[in-house]
C-alpha cells in the first residue's frame, strides 16, 4: 500500500511541475499581434500626451487623495478608540501619537475639503448669479450692461467645463478600450490594475458629466431669464429717460420762445437781461424737480431727511441762504438791474460802479472813475463781488433806479465877504442852465413816469444856487442835474467855466484861507528903504 501511495504522489508531483513549467513558458506572438501592440501603444502614448497637463485629472488626484486620507483617518480613529480602552503607559503613548496623527489628517482634509463629494471640486458648481440692483436711473444702464456681460462670461466658462469633462470622458473611454484590447493580446497584471483604476475613473467622470450637463442646462436657462429681465429694465429706463429728455427739451423751447417774445417788448436791455435770468432760474428749478421726482422712489424719505438737516444747514450755510433770499428780493422788487450804477459802503470802503451781473449769490460791479474815486479811493477800474445778503445790512445806493438816469451834483466856490454874492449867484445859475438844460428836460419826463409807482412831492428839476456863510467867506453852492454815468465829466467842464466868469468881475473875489501878520514897531525903527511901505499898527 505504501508503495502504491508513493508512486501516485510522484506521478501527481511530476504532472503539476510539468503544468507549471508549461504556464511559465511565454506565449509566442504573431507578427500581426506585435504590429497591433505597437499601434495600440502609440495611440496610448498620444492620449497620455494630451492628458499630461489636464487640470481635471489633477483635481481628480485630489479627490482620490481625499478618499485615501479619509480611510486613513477612519482607521486612526478606530485605533484611538481601541487604545483609550486599554491601560498602560504603552497604550497611553500610542493614544497620544494617534491623536496627533488624527489632527494632522483632519488638517489635510480641510485643505482639500472641496473634493469631499466632487471629483473635480468646486468646478462642478456653476458661478453664483448675483442679484443685480434694480435700474432706477440712466447710470444704472451702464452697470446693467456690465452685469449681463458678466453673466454671459460665467455661462461660457461653465459651458467650457462641460465640454472639457465630455472631452476627458471620451479620452478615458478610448484609453480604456485600447488597454483592454492590448490586454487581450498580451495580458499583464500591472495593466490589469491600471484598467481597474481607469474603469473607476471613467465611471466617476461619467457621473460628473451627467451632473454638469444637467446643471449647465438649468444654469443657462436661468441666466437667459435674468438677462431678459435686465434687458426689460433697460428698455423701461431708456423709455423713461427719453420722456424726461423730451420734457426738458420742450421746457427749453418754451423758454426760448418766451425770451424771444419778451425781447420785442422790453425797451431796455437791462430789463430783458433780468427777465432772462428769472426765466433761466425757473427752467433750471423745474428741470431739477422733474429729475428729482423721476428718480427718487421715496420722496417723503428725502423730505424727512431734509427736515432734520434743515436746522444745521441753515446755520452752516446762513450766508448762502441769505444771499439767495437777497437775490429773490432784488429780482422781485426790481431795486437793482444789470447796467445800473450803484454805490456800496462797507466798513469805511466805498465803491461806485456799474452792475455787470446779478447771480444767485452775488452782484458783480465794475468800478468807474467818479468823484468817490477822486476824493477817497484814488484807484478805479476794479471788479467788486458783492454778496446779495448786503441788501439787508448795508447801504446800497442806486444812481439809475427806475429808468432815472440823472443825479444832482454840486459845485461849491467860496467868495470873499465883500464880494457881490447876488451877482455871483446869477452868473452861476446862468451857466448851470446852459450846460444842464438837456438833463433837466430828461429828468422831468422820467419823474412823470415815476409818479405811478412812487409818491413824489418835490419834483423841481431846474438848477439851484444856494448861498452859505462860512468862516472864510461866502459859499456859492451850485446844484444841477447831470448824467449818472458822466457826472465827473460835466463837473470838470463847468467848474472852470464858473471860476473864469467870477474872475472877470471886479466886485467878485475868490476867497481862500489867508493870514494877517501884525508887527508892533515905530517908523523910526524901520529901515529907510521900507519906510514908504504901509504898515498896520496893532
Amino acid at each position: 500500500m505504501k508503495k502504491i501511495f508513493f508512486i501516485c504522489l510522484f506521478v501527481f508531483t511530476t504532472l503539476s511541475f510539468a503544468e507549471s513549467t508549461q504556464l511559465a513558458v511565454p506565449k509566442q506572438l504573431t507578427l500581426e499581434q506585435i504590429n497591433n501592440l505597437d499601434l495600440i501603444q502609440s495611440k496610448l502614448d498620444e492620449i497620455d500626451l494630451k492628458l499630461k497637463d489636464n487640470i481635471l485629472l489633477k483635481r481628480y488626484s485630489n479627490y482620490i487623495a481625499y478618499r485615501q486620507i479619509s480611510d486613513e483617518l477612519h482607521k486612526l480613529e478606530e485605533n484611538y478608540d481601541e487604545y483609550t480602552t486599554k491601560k498602560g503607559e504603552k497604550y497611553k503613548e500610542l493614544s497620544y501619537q494617534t491623536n496627533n496623527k488624527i489632527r494632522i489628517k483632519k488638517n489635510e482634509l480641510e485643505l482639500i475639503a472641496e473634493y469631499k463629494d466632487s471629483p473635480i471640486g468646486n468646478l462642478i458648481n456653476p458661478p453664483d448669479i448675483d442679484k443685480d440692483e434694480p435700474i432706477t436711473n440712466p447710470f444704472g444702464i451702464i452697470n446693467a450692461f456690465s452685469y449681463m456681460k458678466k453673466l454671459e462670461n460665467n455661462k461660457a466658462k461653465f459651458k467650457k467645463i462641460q465640454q472639457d469633462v465630455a472631452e476627458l470622458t471620451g479620452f478615458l473611454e478610448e484609453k480604456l478600450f485600447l488597454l483592454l484590447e492590448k490586454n487581450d493580446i498580451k495580458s499583464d497584471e500591472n495593466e490589469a490594475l491600471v484598467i481597474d483604476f481607469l474603469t473607476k475613473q471613467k465611471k466617476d467622470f461619467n457621473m460628473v458629466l451627467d451632473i454638469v450637463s444637467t446643471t449647465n442646462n438649468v444654469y443657462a436657462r436661468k441666466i437667459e431669464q435674468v438677462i431678459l429681465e435686465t434687458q426689460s429694465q433697460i428698455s423701461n429706463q431708456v423709455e423713461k429717460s427719453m420722456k424726461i429728455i423730451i420734457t426738458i427739451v420742450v421746457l427749453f423751447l418754451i423758454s426760448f420762445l418766451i425770451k424771444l417774445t419778451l425781447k420785442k417788448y422790453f425797451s431796455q436791455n437791462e430789463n430783458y437781461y433780468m427777465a432772462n435770468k428769472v426765466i433761466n432760474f425757473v427752467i433750471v428749478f423745474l428741470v431739477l424737480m422733474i429729475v428729482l421726482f423721476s428718480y427718487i422712489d421715496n420722496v417723503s424719505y428725502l423730505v424727512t431727511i431734509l427736515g432734520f438737516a434743515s436746522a444745521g444747514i441753515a446755520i452752516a450755510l446762513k450766508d448762502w441762504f441769505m444771499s439767495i433770499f437777497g437775490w429773490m428780493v432784488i429780482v422781485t422788487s426790481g431795486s437793482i438791474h444789470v447796467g445800473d450804477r450803484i454805490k456800496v459802503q462797507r466798513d469805511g470802503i466805498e465803491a461806485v460802479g456799474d452792475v455787470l451781473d446779478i447771480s444767485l449769490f452775488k452782484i458783480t460791479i465794475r468800478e468807474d472813475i467818479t468823484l468817490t474815486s477822486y476824493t477817497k479811493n484814488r484807484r478805479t477800474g476794479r471788479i467788486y463781488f458783492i454778496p446779495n445778503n448786503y441788501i439787508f445790512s448795508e447801504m446800497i445806493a442806486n444812481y439809475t433806479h427806475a429808468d432815472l438816469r440823472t443825479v444832482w451834483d454840486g459845485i461849491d466856490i467860496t467868495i470873499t465877504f465883500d464880494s457881490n454874492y447876488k451877482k455871483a449867484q446869477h452868473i452861476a445859475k446862468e451857466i448851470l442852465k446852459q450846460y444842464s438844460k438837456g438833463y433837466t428836460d430828461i429828468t422831468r419826463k422820467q419823474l412823470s413816469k415815476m409818479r405811478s409807482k412812487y409818491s413824489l412831492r418835490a419834483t423841481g428839476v431846474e438848477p439851484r444856487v444856494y448861498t452859505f456863510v462860512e468862516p472864510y467867506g461866502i459859499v456859492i453852492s451850485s446844484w444841477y442835474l447831470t448824467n449818472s454815468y458822466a457826472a465827473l465829466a460835466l463837473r470838470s467842464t463847468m467848474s472852470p467855466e464858473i471860476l473864469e466868469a467870477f474872475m472877470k468881475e471886479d466886485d467878485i473875489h475868490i476867497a481862500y484861507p489867508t493870514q494877517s501878520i501884525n508887527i508892533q514897531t515905530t517908523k523910526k525903527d524901520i529901515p529907510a528903504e521900507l519906510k514908504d511901505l504901509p504898515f498896520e499898527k496893532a
Side-chain angles (χ1 to χ4, degrees):
M1 291 295 292
K2 289 183 180 181
K3 290 182 180 180
I4 295 173
F5 174 74
F6 283 114
I7 291 171
C8 292
L9 181 60
F10 174 76
V11 173
F12 178 76
T13 304
T14 303
L15 291 175
S16 299
F17 176 77
E19 184 178 358
S20 62
T21 304
Q22 184 180 4
L23 290 174
V25 175
K27 183 180 179 181
Q28 296 296 327
L29 299 177
T30 63
L31 181 61
E32 181 181 0
Q33 288 176 330
I34 293 173
N35 292 333
N36 288 337
L37 285 175
D38 292 338
L39 180 61
I40 291 172
Q41 187 61 45
S42 64
K43 291 182 178 179
L44 288 173
D45 293 340
E46 183 180 349
I47 293 174
D48 289 337
L49 182 62
K50 293 179 180 178
L51 299 180
K52 180 180 179 181
D53 296 323
N54 191 285
I55 187 66
L56 296 177
L57 288 180
K58 293 184 182 299
R59 282 180 162 267
Y60 184 77
S61 64
N62 291 333
Y63 172 73
I64 298 299
Y66 187 92
R67 294 298 177 192
Q68 293 176 351
I69 295 172
S70 297
D71 295 338
E72 293 174 2
L73 177 62
H74 181 68
K75 292 179 180 179
L76 288 173
E77 288 176 345
E78 290 180 350
N79 293 335
Y80 180 75
D81 293 337
E82 180 182 353
Y83 295 150
T84 54
T85 57
K86 296 181 180 181
K87 297 180 181 181
E89 291 297 327
K90 175 184 176 181
Y91 294 105
K92 185 177 181 180
E93 180 65 22
L94 289 174
S95 300
Y96 176 76
Q97 294 177 359
T98 306
N99 188 37
N100 289 337
K101 293 179 180 179
I102 290 174
R103 285 202 303 269
I104 294 172
K105 294 299 180 183
K106 286 183 177 180
N107 291 335
E108 293 175 354
L109 290 178
E110 287 181 2
L111 294 176
I112 54 175
E114 64 175 293
Y115 300 97
K116 179 179 179 181
D117 299 317
S118 170
I120 59 174
N122 291 335
L123 291 181
I124 201 170
N125 298 317
D128 294 334
I129 301 177
D130 299 329
K131 185 177 181 181
D132 194 29
E133 295 294 331
I135 304 174
T136 57
N137 55 71
F139 298 103
I141 296 177
I142 300 175
N143 295 332
F145 280 114
S146 300
Y147 176 68
M148 290 192 296
K149 183 66 175 178
K150 178 182 177 182
L151 291 179
E152 291 289 354
N153 290 337
N154 290 342
K155 177 182 175 183
K157 287 179 181 178
F158 197 68
K159 178 68 175 178
K160 181 67 168 52
I161 293 174
Q162 179 191 5
Q163 294 173 352
D164 291 343
V165 173
E167 183 182 14
L168 177 60
T169 304
F171 285 140
L172 293 178
E173 289 181 353
E174 184 179 358
K175 183 176 181 180
L176 180 60
F177 176 77
L178 292 174
L179 287 174
L180 290 173
E181 186 177 356
K182 181 179 178 182
N183 191 60
D184 289 340
I185 298 173
K186 182 182 178 182
S187 62
D188 189 343
E189 293 183 1
N190 293 330
E191 289 188 352
L193 295 176
V194 172
I195 291 173
D196 293 339
F197 175 78
L198 195 59
T199 302
K200 181 180 182 304
Q201 192 178 46
K202 174 179 168 295
K203 180 180 178 182
D204 290 337
F205 276 102
N206 281 330
M207 179 266 296
V208 170
L209 180 61
D210 292 339
I211 295 175
V212 171
S213 299
T214 304
T215 305
N216 182 61
N217 293 334
V218 176
Y219 186 67
R221 287 195 297 269
K222 179 63 177 178
I223 286 181
E224 291 173 358
Q225 175 189 346
V226 174
I227 290 176
L228 288 175
E229 293 174 354
T230 305
Q231 289 175 344
S232 177
Q233 291 187 51
I234 292 174
S235 300
N236 294 336
Q237 191 59 230
V238 169
E239 182 179 356
K240 182 179 179 180
S241 300
M242 290 302 299
K243 290 180 180 178
I244 294 174
I245 292 173
I246 292 173
T247 304
I248 293 174
V249 170
V250 170
L251 285 176
F252 277 103
L253 182 61
I254 293 173
S255 70
F256 174 76
L257 295 176
I258 293 174
K259 292 177 184 179
L260 199 62
T261 305
L262 292 176
K263 194 171 185 179
K264 297 179 181 179
Y265 291 97
F266 278 112
S267 59
Q268 297 292 335
N269 289 332
E270 294 82 0
N271 295 333
Y272 172 73
Y273 179 86
M274 185 56 64
N276 187 39
K277 281 275 187 178
V278 174
I279 292 172
N280 290 340
F281 176 78
V282 172
I283 292 298
V284 171
F285 177 78
L286 291 177
V287 169
L288 288 176
M289 289 298 101
I290 291 173
V291 174
L292 186 67
F293 285 94
S294 297
Y295 292 111
I296 294 182
D297 297 330
N298 193 349
V299 179
S300 60
Y301 178 70
L302 177 63
V303 173
T304 303
I305 294 177
L306 292 178
F308 282 111
S310 59
I313 294 174
I315 295 173
L317 304 178
K318 179 187 68 174
D319 292 339
W320 281 26
F321 281 117
M322 292 301 294
S323 293
I324 294 174
F325 291 146
W327 178 83
M328 295 175 65
V329 171
I330 292 171
V331 170
T332 55
S333 65
S335 56
I336 301 174
H337 297 87
V338 172
D340 286 354
R341 171 157 291 192
I342 64 174
K343 180 178 182 179
V344 182
Q345 297 179 350
R346 171 80 174 187
D347 297 333
I349 299 175
E350 298 182 11
V352 178
D354 302 330
V355 177
L356 301 179
D357 181 51
I358 302 175
S359 64
L360 197 61
F361 298 104
K362 64 183 181 297
I363 302 171
T364 305
I365 68 170
R366 182 181 181 273
E367 192 181 20
D368 198 3
I369 301 175
T370 61
L371 187 61
T372 302
S373 306
Y374 169 70
T375 58
K376 293 183 178 296
N377 297 335
R378 302 304 297 175
R379 288 181 179 86
T380 188
R382 294 168 291 189
I383 303 295
Y384 281 88
F385 301 98
I386 304 166
N388 293 337
N389 59 4
Y390 275 26
I391 67 170
F392 300 118
S393 58
E394 305 299 332
M395 173 69 74
I396 299 179
N398 192 341
Y399 289 70
T400 54
H401 176 63
D403 295 331
L404 192 62
R405 295 293 181 264
T406 57
V407 292
W408 287 95
D409 194 13
I411 300 173
D412 294 341
I413 299 178
T414 305
I415 61 178
T416 59
F417 288 111
D418 58 352
S419 298
N420 189 346
Y421 68 89
K422 290 185 178 181
K423 183 188 288 188
Q425 285 181 327
H426 177 73
I427 293 172
K429 197 164 189 176
E430 290 301 321
I431 294 175
L432 295 180
K433 287 181 179 179
Q434 176 186 349
Y435 281 95
S436 65
K437 185 178 185 307
Y439 300 116
T440 301
D441 296 338
I442 292 173
T443 305
R444 185 180 289 109
K445 294 178 182 179
Q446 292 172 341
L447 290 176
S448 298
K449 294 180 180 180
M450 290 179 64
R451 290 182 182 276
S452 60
K453 186 176 181 181
Y454 298 100
S455 177
L456 298 177
R457 298 183 181 225
T459 58
V461 294
E462 296 299 328
R464 304 172 191 179
V465 179
Y466 300 97
T467 304
F468 303 102
V469 178
E470 296 293 342
Y472 294 105
I474 300 173
V475 177
I476 305 299
S477 184
S478 308
W479 292 85
Y480 56 95
L481 286 166
T482 181
N483 186 353
S484 301
Y485 299 97
L488 197 62
L490 186 58
R491 182 188 184 92
S492 177
T493 302
M494 292 175 61
S495 294
E497 190 78 18
I498 296 173
L499 184 62
E500 185 179 353
F502 283 178
M503 294 180 68
K504 288 180 181 179
E505 303 296 331
D506 295 333
D507 54 352
I508 300 176
H509 305 286
I510 304 300
Y512 48 86
T514 60
Q515 186 177 9
S516 298
I517 301 175
N518 297 324
I519 302 176
Q520 296 182 357
T521 183
T522 60
K523 207 164 187 178
K524 62 181 181 180
D525 297 328
I526 301 174
E529 63 270 14
L530 299 177
K531 286 183 178 180
D532 295 334
L533 295 177
F535 281 90
E536 181 179 351
K537 295 184 179 180

